[in-house]
Amino acid sequence: MTAAVPDWAFAAALAGLPYMAWDRLSGVLAKAGGEPRNAWRYVAEGGAGGAWARAAATVSVEAVADAHVRAGVRVHVHGRDGYPPALAEDHEAPPVVFTVGSPSALDEHLPRAGMIGTRRCTGYGREVARDFGRELSAAGVAVVSGLALGIDGASHEGALQAAPGGSKPIAVVGSGLDVVYPRRHAVLWRRVAESGIVISEAPLGCRPEAWRFPARNRIIAALSDVLVVVESHPAGGSLHTVRSAEERGVTVMAVPGPVRSKASAGTNRLLSEGCPPACDVDDVLVALALETAGRSAGGERPDPRPAPDGTDAAVLAVLGWEAVSLEEVMARSGLAPARVAVALAHLEQGGWARGTAGWWERAAAP
C-alpha cells in the first residue's frame, strides 16, 4: 500500500467489502476520524471484525484505484470536494458515491422530480410514465429514477425523448457501474450516462444484491424535490421510496389509476391517505414551483434541532431508521458502553433519536 494511492480508492475498497451497507461504512469512517486511508487500516487490522479483515486481505487498493480510473468512474467521498451537493446535507448521505456521466446533471439549483413505480406495470402506467418523463424534461425538470424495469425505465425513456433540449436525466442504480442490471436495459443505461448521469453506492464489480435496492431508494428520495408514484402494487417496493421521501419532507404525488387494477392499488391508497394527485404534468410543475420557491427563499428545509457533535455525532452516524439494540450501537460505533449511553441520552433529548425498551432508532425532523 503506497502513499501514491488516492484517499478515494480506500473509500471505494471499503464500500466493496461484503455487506458494507452505507450505515456500516459511516460507522467505520467515523471510527477513523473520517479518513478513508485510516479506516481501511482499521478494518484490515481486524478492528471491525475478522470477516471484514479477511475480505480486506484479498483486495488490492491499488487495483481498485486503477480499475475506476480506467473505467472513467468518478469516486466522490462525503465531505470532500466534488461530492454531489444535492446529497451532501442529507441525514443519510452516502459516505461514498460512484458516478458516470455529467456532474452538472446534479446541479443543486435545478428542479428534480423522482418518478417511480412497479416493475410489473400496465400499458397505461408505462404510457403515463413515458409521457410525464418527456414533458417534465422538456420543461427543464431533471427526471430521477432507478433504471429498473417497468415505470422507472419508461420514465427515463420519456426523458431521453426530450433531447437535445431537455434536462439531463439522473439514474440511481443498485450495482457497480460496470454491472448493468437489468441486462435488457443496457442501451437505456448507456444513453442515460451519455445524456445525464448514473449514480451508485457500489464500486465496480458489485452485483445487484437485494439489500442494495432499499438503500438505493433513499438516494432517489433525497435527490427529488417532488416524488411521483405512477403505479404501485399494495406492498410494492416503491413504498420504500415513499417512506424515505416522507422522512425528508418531500412532497409525494400519486397518479390515479383504475380501481380494478392491482398495479394501481398502492397509488390509489396513497391518494386516499391524502397525497396530492398527479393527473398531468402541470400538477407536478405546480408542486415543483412551490417546493423550489420555498427552497430558494429560505434554504432546503432547515432542521430546527441543535446539530450534534463529537461523540453524539459519531453515535448518530451509526443509527438507522430501523430499531437496533444498544449492543449493536456499541458494536457499530466501537465506543465504550458509558459513552454510548450518554450520547444516546443527548440525542433523544435533542430529538435526533428514539429509545424504547433498549432499542434505538433515528427520529425524523419535526
Side-chain angles (χ1 to χ4, degrees), residues 105-164:
L106 293 174
D107 187 323
E108 61 183 327
H109 302 296
L110 296 176
R112 296 181 296 271
M115 290 193 62
I116 62 169
T118 180
R119 290 171 170 80
R120 295 172 290 144
C121 66
T122 65
Y124 159 79
R126 185 181 300 277
E127 183 177 340
V128 169
R130 190 178 291 118
D131 288 349
F132 272 44
R134 182 183 64 253
E135 294 177 35
L136 285 169
S137 183
V141 177
V143 173
V144 185
S145 199
L147 271 180
L149 297 175
I151 297 301
D152 286 24
S155 300
H156 274 140
E157 288 170 1
L160 290 167
Q161 288 174 358

Side-chain angles (χ1 to χ4, degrees), residues 237-326:
S238 300
L239 300 182
H240 294 144
T241 315
V242 168
R243 286 193 291 271
S244 291
E246 290 173 342
E247 288 170 1
R248 290 160 173 79
V250 173
T251 297
V252 177
M253 308 183 75
V255 173
V259 295
R260 291 187 175 89
S261 171
K262 292 182 179 179
S264 290
T267 45
N268 288 340
R269 188 176 70 192
L270 289 173
L271 292 168
S272 72
E273 292 172 350
C275 284
C279 296
D280 55 32
V281 168
D282 285 345
D283 288 339
V284 182
L285 294 176
V286 168
L288 277 167
L290 293 173
E291 291 297 322
T292 54
R295 184 177 66 193
S296 61
E300 291 195 10
R301 303 182 187 89
D303 197 315
R305 299 172 292 185
D309 55 17
T311 302
D312 295 357
V315 171
L316 181 62
V318 302
L319 278 183
W321 292 98
E322 293 185 1
V324 295
S325 66
L326 179 62

Side-chain angles (χ1 to χ4, degrees), residues 34 39 66 81 111 136 167 218 285-287 299 306 328 345 354 360:
D66 182 61
D81 289 345
L136 285 169
S167 291
R218 83 186 195 285
L285 294 176
V286 168
E328 178 67 15
R354 285 192 297 266
W360 291 88

